[in-house]
Amino acid sequence: MSSLATMLATMSDIDSTLDDLKEELGDLPQQVKDAEEYVRAKSMHTEKAEKDLKEIELFKINSGNRLLEIKDKEDQLAQQQFNVRNNKEFDAITNEIEMLRDERNKIYDEQRTVGVKEENLTSILEESKKELEEAQKGLAGKEDELTSISHGHNDEILQHTKQRAELAQAIPVSILAEYERIRTFHKDAAVKVKKNSCSGCFSKVPPQRIVEMRNKPDTMFLCEHCGRILLGE
Ligand SMILES: [Zn+2]
């Protein structure tokens, strides 16, 4: 059976390895999330341009149909004007023809405006599709990176976690609790005494204490200055 000091040293090594493994993933998971959001924004942009273009297409069809209707109606009214019985009827038809002409001119104006809008939207859509494609590539790259790193890491993390669990069973509960408590303040909860000093805070460890540590490998000693667990040299 290993001494408490040895077990704490091993525990501390495992924990710092686990910390490193998790740290290596860094902000990659966040980067993936950001890339996903960017793709969403770009696809909404693309969809909006597509929807606007469809509306324009519909307007073009409807206004074209309306222009044909107007033309028919005008021809019809022109015919009727030959057969009027009085001036009043003639004026009424003239008035109606003028209204149709106004409507036609209004449609022409709208068609011109929409034509410009359509051109702009078409280039916006083209640009947007390119950006979306780039964004999707970027996301796929980040996802691959994350998958490959965490894949390699998962085995290692699993192995160390298992080893840690075994060790945790061998260490007295109260000491383990103390170790965990110290770890909330110092990631390196258990440190070696080097050159008669705590290697966590570099303050001197009294010689008498060092002798005591050597004689009692199953007692936990804390640095009086920083509170880390001290491990023998
Ligand atoms: Zn210390």
Side-chain angles (χ1 to χ4, degrees), residues 191 197-203 205 222-228 230:
V191 295
S197 303
C198 160
S199 58
C201 71
F202 306 110
S203 57
V205 178
L222 302 183
C223 168
E224 287 172 349
H225 194 76
C226 67
R228 287 180 176 90
L230 293 175

Side-chain angles (χ1 to χ4, degrees), residues 41-56:
K42 287 292 159 199
S43 46
M44 276 164 74
H45 200 236
T46 307
E47 274 170 27
K48 171 89 171 67
E50 278 170 344
K51 188 171 161 271
D52 290 350
L53 275 171
K54 258 183 204 152
E55 268 168 32
I56 285 177

Side-chain angles (χ1 to χ4, degrees), residues 158-173:
L158 204 71
Q159 187 195 327
H160 286 292
T161 307
K162 205 177 145 206
Q163 202 185 341
R164 192 188 193 281
E166 283 167 12
L167 203 53
Q169 288 202 323
I171 297 173
V173 177

Side-chain angles (χ1 to χ4, degrees), residues 149-187:
I149 292 181
S150 38
H151 210 71
H153 279 188
N154 282 344
D155 287 349
E156 237 180 306
I157 288 174
L158 204 71
Q159 187 195 327
H160 286 292
T161 307
K162 205 177 145 206
Q163 202 185 341
R164 192 188 193 281
E166 283 167 12
L167 203 53
Q169 288 202 323
I171 297 173
V173 177
S174 61
I175 288 180
L176 191 63
E178 183 68 359
Y179 170 84
E180 296 290 8
R181 188 189 66 80
I182 296 167
R183 238 180 92 75
T184 61
F185 302 107
H186 306 291
K187 277 195 143 193

Side-chain angles (χ1 to χ4, degrees), residues 189-231:
V191 295
K192 277 202 155 70
V193 172
K194 280 180 189 162
K195 292 179 182 164
N196 300 333
S197 303
C198 160
S199 58
C201 71
F202 306 110
S203 57
K204 284 273 171 217
V205 178
Q208 184 195 334
R209 175 61 59 88
I210 292 172
V211 173
E212 212 181 333
M213 282 172 65
R214 211 169 289 150
N215 295 335
K216 297 177 180 170
D218 285 316
T219 303
M220 185 168 65
F221 293 92
L222 302 183
C223 168
E224 287 172 349
H225 194 76
C226 67
R228 287 180 176 90
I229 296 167
L230 293 175
L231 304 169

